[in-house]
Amino acid sequence: MTEPAFLVLTALVDEPRHGYGIAQEVERLSEGRVQLKIGTLYGVLDRLAADGFVEADREEVRQGRLRRYYRLTDEGARALEEEAVRLADNARRAVDRLRLRQAGGLA
C-alpha cells in the first residue's frame, strides 16, 4: 500500500470526507509532509474504490459546487489495520537493529 493510500484511508477512519477535506486531513496527519494534489488524490480514491476500501457516501452542493463524500468500508478498515501492523513491525525491527548496531552487536 502506498503512503498516500495509507493516509487517505486513515483520514477516513473517523468520518466521511469530501476530496478537499481528505487532502487537508492527509496534510494534517503527515504534519505537512504529504500534500496531495487533487489529481493525485482522485487517482488514489479511484484505486481504493476499485479495491473496495472506500465508497461514495453522499453528494451535496455547497456554494454551487458538487461535493462527493467518501467513507471507509469495513474491508478498507481491515486493510488499513493490516498495513499499520506491518509498518509498525518493520519500524520495530529497524529500531532493534539500530540499537544492536549502536551497542556494537552488528558490524
Side-chain angles (χ1 to χ4, degrees):
M1 181 180 296
T2 65
E3 184 178 26
F6 181 85
L7 291 169
V8 166
L9 292 176
T10 303
L12 294 172
V13 166
D14 56 344
E15 65 182 351
R17 296 178 194 275
H18 58 83
Y20 182 68
I22 294 169
Q24 286 182 312
E25 186 66 5
V26 164
E27 186 172 347
R28 188 188 72 72
L29 288 167
S30 69
E31 297 179 336
R33 194 175 41 77
V34 176
Q35 297 176 357
L36 295 177
K37 295 193 182 322
I38 293 303
T40 301
L41 170 64
Y42 284 104
V44 170
L45 284 169
D46 286 346
R47 285 189 299 279
L48 292 172
D51 290 339
F53 295 165
V54 302
E55 62 187 15
D57 182 69
R58 68 184 185 280
E59 292 180 345
E60 63 183 41
V61 177
R62 284 264 172 101
Q63 299 174 341
R65 298 184 67 149
L66 181 67
R67 285 185 176 177
R68 177 173 291 144
Y69 286 73
Y70 295 86
R71 71 174 189 86
L72 183 66
T73 64
D74 290 342
E75 188 175 346
R78 281 190 294 276
L80 177 60
E81 183 174 8
E82 288 172 7
E83 183 67 2
V85 167
R86 186 187 73 77
L87 291 171
D89 286 345
N90 286 345
R92 181 188 46 76
R93 284 188 198 96
V95 168
D96 289 349
R97 291 181 66 91
L98 286 166
R99 286 185 181 140
L100 274 173
R101 182 176 190 269
Q102 290 169 351
L106 287 177

